[in-house]
Amino acid sequence: MTKFLNVWQKVLTWVMATAVAVLIVPVSIQIFSRFTSLIPAYIWTEELSRFCFIWMVMLGATIGLRERLHFDVDVWPKLTPRRDALLRIVSNVFVLAYTGVMIWWGIEFTKFGWNQTSELADLPMWLIFIAWPLTGISWLMFLVEAFVRDLDLYRRNVALAAGEFA
Amino acid sequence: MMSATLTPGMAALVLFGAFFALLVARVPVAFALGLASLPLLLIEDRLSPMGMFNEMFKAYNSFILLAVPFFLLTANLMNVGGITERLMRLSRAMVGHFPGGLAQINILLSVFFAGISGSSTADAASQGKLFIDAQVKEGYDLSFSIAITAVSAVLAVIIPPSILMIVWGGVISTSIGAMYLAGVIPGLLIGLAQMATVHAYAVKRNYPVYPRSTFVEFLKAALVSIPALTTPFIIVGGILLGWFTATESAAIAVLYAAALSIFYYREMNLSKLYACIVETGKLSSVALFCVGTASVFGWLMAYYQIPKALLSNLQGLGLGITGTGFLIAAAFLVVGCFLDAIPAIIIVGTVMQPLAQACGMHPVSFAIIGIVSLAFGLVTPPYGLCLMISCAVAKVPMRYALKDTMIMLIPMLAVLCAIIIFPEIPLILPRLVAPELLK
């Protein structure tokens, strides 16, 4: 499972990097077409950059969950490894709840955009909206991995603590 | 008027109660904002959780926010492409011989960096790696080194260009060109206040000094840095002349930094470039994902007319322009402790705007007070991103550097008070350069 997720994460990272790199192109075209007549002033540049941008955000947020990049507020004093694992499990239960929302209503959201097309380039909107349920599904896989790891950590540290008392 | 199932007070209780409870459970801020919005979306007949994604989509589907990844990419390109290194040499030639030389260089480099990139978190991350270890090796205290790196990083969003000003301009429709010009003097004042603080520390604790550079050394360093140092003039000038929009100016900054790294300083290769891009994508995405869920939270607040209920209490106080200024600063400082700056602008900026308008405060003064307060929020616990990043670089918990950070904040707060009491300070430069923007 971890091996598969490693590969999956690499793929997601690569696609996200492509989105970032592509982002700069339409914006540059937009600026330069204003000053030269070499490139026509395309109307779709702004829309294309916005759509790349949305995909970048969702992909980055997907990877961010596995790499624990999403910032949290730490109000707790220094915790023992066991309590730390327990708190991670608790917070991940809430993240799981949000993941459920992303998948369930994300699918509804995609269906909602099924027959819509974008204003300028006439792209089908579900291509964008589907980012939400897909993010949710990736999160679900990453969360299962995290739960297994944290439960294991918790159990081992319980055994350790019991050993100290014996 | 639409009628809601819950009163503003009850809705606020649900939103904020759930949000803070989730934060205590160490749920990441972005998820806490989304989950706290969920009960209301389920209770209210007219709303559905699907509306949450529609609201997030609307937040991301804005050309303005593109500036966030662009400025981060600029900063990353500067670091690996050799621009930061050249600017550091120049800083050393200028302030290395002051007491606490390396810490002074740290601040001056942040000022230069602020003029090219508009991202404080990028500044904290790169200068953390550059300075914290080096300062400790030279005999500076670790907590002092972390604190000065974190507080000097906040200059990046005050001195133009600035991500926060672009977002502010988009959310509260204020001239970005005017805000850029208005940010220069407060930013430099805060930088000076920090240098004075370092001076006091250095004299008291006997921190080391570098030998004074010769004039020739200074001239060499300056000449090499000139192409990099012209960036802020290109960006601000281009916006004022109407060549490009604020977001496009961020793209120009990327192209310019890339061109300098590849053709002028020649320190860029493909693997470095890929690492830069991945780093940029990840960091900007987690920040922006939070902007999306914060927009949902802010939209629900507006739906239940919570801001209006809050304001009706505040307007009864009958504060003057100075009193309102302090109230605005206090609100942003408190919110900045718990939220990142962009979501804070979306949620609180729009709430405070009618208040500023009512007392006759200039929109640009209001923006600068708000942005400077939010910038300070980047180093205040429990959620101060720049302090968190600096501490993470040094691998110590945040409370380790807290005391020195708070001491360094005092002179900075004094500058903020000066801006509130004399709201004309930020307006000096825009009046001189582009008075038509202030109307």
Side-chain angles (χ1 to χ4, degrees), chain A residues 30 34 50 56 71 76 91, chain B residues 24 29 61 243 248 285:
Chain A
Q30 189 169 314
R34 204 170 299 153
R50 275 187 275 125
M56 178 202 84
F71 293 101
W76 298 84
S91 76
Chain B
V24 172
V29 179
N61 196 21
W243 289 350
E248 287 169 359
S285 300

Side-chain angles (χ1 to χ4, degrees), chain B residues 201-260:
Chain B
Y201 262 99
V203 170
K204 192 162 166 252
R205 295 189 180 173
N206 229 339
Y207 284 149
V209 175
Y210 288 121
R212 183 190 279 273
S213 304
T214 61
F215 187 67
V216 178
E217 278 170 333
F218 164 71
L219 220 57
K220 264 192 198 157
L223 271 178
V224 172
S225 307
I226 282 177
L229 288 176
T230 46
T231 320
F233 297 97
I234 297 175
I235 291 176
V236 179
I239 291 176
L240 293 179
L241 293 171
W243 289 350
F244 31 76
T245 66
T247 306
E248 287 169 359
S249 79
I252 293 281
V254 172
L255 294 177
Y256 191 66
L260 281 184

Side-chain angles (χ1 to χ4, degrees), chain B residues 87 262 271 274:
Chain B
L87 290 175
I262 296 168
S271 69
Y274 182 73

Side-chain angles (χ1 to χ4, degrees), chain A residues 3 12 30 62 79 111 118 130 160-161:
Chain A
K3 251 186 205 158
L12 291 176
Q30 189 169 314
T62 309
L79 298 171
K111 280 186 194 153
S118 68
I130 206 167
L160 261 178

Side-chain angles (χ1 to χ4, degrees), chain B residues 372-386:
Chain B
V372 170
S373 311
L374 284 173
F376 291 179
L378 292 169
V379 293
T380 49
Y383 190 76
L385 272 186
C386 287

Side-chain angles (χ1 to χ4, degrees), chain B residues 79-92:
Chain B
N79 295 332
V80 302
I83 296 177
T84 308
E85 204 189 314
R86 292 340 185 270
L87 290 175
M88 178 148 172
R89 257 179 243 162
L90 176 64
S91 311
R92 177 173 172 165

Side-chain angles (χ1 to χ4, degrees), chain B residues 168 172-174 311 315 319-321 324-325 328 349-367:
Chain B
W168 188 289
I172 314 183
S173 53
T174 310
L311 283 179
Q315 255 151 359
L319 291 167
I321 198 163
T324 311
I328 290 167
T350 40
V351 176
M352 300 310 268
Q353 196 244 350
L355 208 63
Q357 208 171 15
C359 75
M361 185 183 286
H362 196 284
V364 174
S365 297
F366 168 51

